[in-house]
Amino acid sequence: MIAYLDGADHRYSIQVASASHSGRRSSNEDAMGLMDLGAGGLCCTLADGAGGHGHGELAAQLTVQAVLEGFRENPLFAPASLASLISQAEHRVSGQQSTSASRMHMSATVVVLCIDPEQGRALWAHWGDSRLYWFRAGRMHLRTEDHSLVQQLLHAGLYEENDPRRLPNRNVLAGAIGAEGQVPPSIRANAVALEAGDVFLLCSDGLWEGMHESEMEQLLTASQRPDEWIQRMVGRVVSSGNPHQDNLSALTVWICPRETND
């Protein structure tokens, strides 16, 4: 999927692409989507579900639906608005948990990116170990920090290794939609000013666990379009031959200079 978003009042042209793969799993419990309101803003979100009996897929779908519907109804560009979107998703999933015993433990990670196209600004939020990466000038500029047991142990200095990909219990979450965690969602407190060439990547752990940031940068430099980059990353992870490969999903937003007729 690739979408080209532009408008007379947009500071930049925006290109969005996404891809998903079930990996070695029988079903895909990731979900993602976007809501483009033109001058009203752009909201992109990705969720990775868990919970057994197929209800991880439901939790991820409910999370994405709640975030996008909430943004459509109240497209405010503010940290409090992002916090509200995640709260609405939590309410949606918890409401379904109580409907049956099999749904009681369903949960989902979530990452949300909102862009103000007129002012050229971005805000984001996340909960769990689905990540947002921000690339500038072809290099990773920032990434979100996982809400996981491993990340907490890293902060406590109990591991010398600082790459969670190689550590045990790396999939144990400290917080997520519908989970009984102690860590609240992280909300970006201040909007960032965008520049032409900025690239954002929202992805589930099935992608980032199978690919180092340097590989992301390498493939980004070699790609002319966002869909090309996404497909290359997903293809590389899938072809690595991991017999336990989890679902992997990615959504990317490219900030591009606007074409003028001057």
Side-chain angles (χ1 to χ4, degrees), residues 168-233:
N169 300 314
R170 61 186 179 272
N171 299 123
V172 179
L173 298 180
I177 299 285
E180 295 180 356
Q182 300 299 316
V183 178
S186 294
I187 314 293
R188 175 80 187 185
N190 301 301
V192 300
L194 299 174
E195 295 182 5
D198 282 353
V199 169
F200 293 96
L201 172 67
L202 287 64
C203 64
S204 60
D205 63 333
L207 184 88
W208 66 256
E209 281 192 346
M211 173 167 292
H212 196 271
E213 285 77 9
S214 61
E215 295 178 272
M216 296 178 183
E217 294 173 345
Q218 177 189 31
L219 294 178
L220 177 59
T221 300
S223 301
Q224 299 298 314
R225 301 187 316 273
D227 57 328
E228 182 182 357
W229 183 47
I230 287 285
Q231 292 292 347
R232 283 178 169 177
M233 287 193 293

Side-chain angles (χ1 to χ4, degrees), residues 27 44 47 56-57 61 75 81 89 95 120 135 141 145 159 165 175 178 194 198-199 212 233 248-251 261:
S27 62
C44 300
E57 181 178 1
Q61 291 174 349
S81 179
F135 297 84
H141 190 61
E145 188 173 273
Y159 286 125
R165 296 172 178 85
L194 299 174
D198 282 353
V199 169
H212 196 271
M233 287 193 293
L248 59 156
S249 299
L251 185 153
N261 297 319

Side-chain angles (χ1 to χ4, degrees), residues 237-258:
V237 174
V238 171
S239 65
S240 67
N242 179 0
H244 305 292
Q245 178 61 54
D246 195 3
N247 306 150
L248 59 156
S249 299
L251 185 153
T252 186
V253 178
W254 285 28
I255 308 301
C256 307
R258 292 196 64 206

Side-chain angles (χ1 to χ4, degrees), residues 124-137:
W124 55 83
H126 79 290
W127 207 5
D129 63 0
S130 288
R131 292 181 175 179
L132 178 141
Y133 290 85
W134 174 19
F135 297 84
R136 174 162 283 179

Side-chain angles (χ1 to χ4, degrees), residues 47-146:
D48 178 1
H53 305 288
H55 295 315
E57 181 178 1
L58 175 61
Q61 291 174 349
L62 291 172
T63 295
V64 168
Q65 290 170 4
V67 168
L68 297 182
E69 289 172 5
F71 181 77
R72 182 184 60 199
E73 294 169 2
N74 190 25
L76 294 178
F77 186 82
S81 179
L82 268 71
S84 176
L85 295 179
I86 290 182
S87 178
Q88 290 177 60
E90 169 75 10
H91 180 74
R92 184 81 59 91
V93 170
S94 63
Q96 287 296 315
Q97 285 176 325
S98 61
T99 61
S100 71
S102 64
R103 294 182 177 183
M104 186 178 303
H105 300 293
M106 70 178 184
S107 63
T109 66
V110 64
V111 56
V112 182
L113 170 67
C114 290
I115 291 179
D116 172 3
E118 291 188 328
Q119 299 297 318
R121 302 178 298 163
L123 278 171
W124 55 83
H126 79 290
W127 207 5
D129 63 0
S130 288
R131 292 181 175 179
L132 178 141
Y133 290 85
W134 174 19
F135 297 84
R136 174 162 283 179
R139 296 290 180 263
M140 190 187 76
H141 190 61
L142 176 148
R143 76 162 174 82
T144 54
E145 188 173 273
D146 304 332

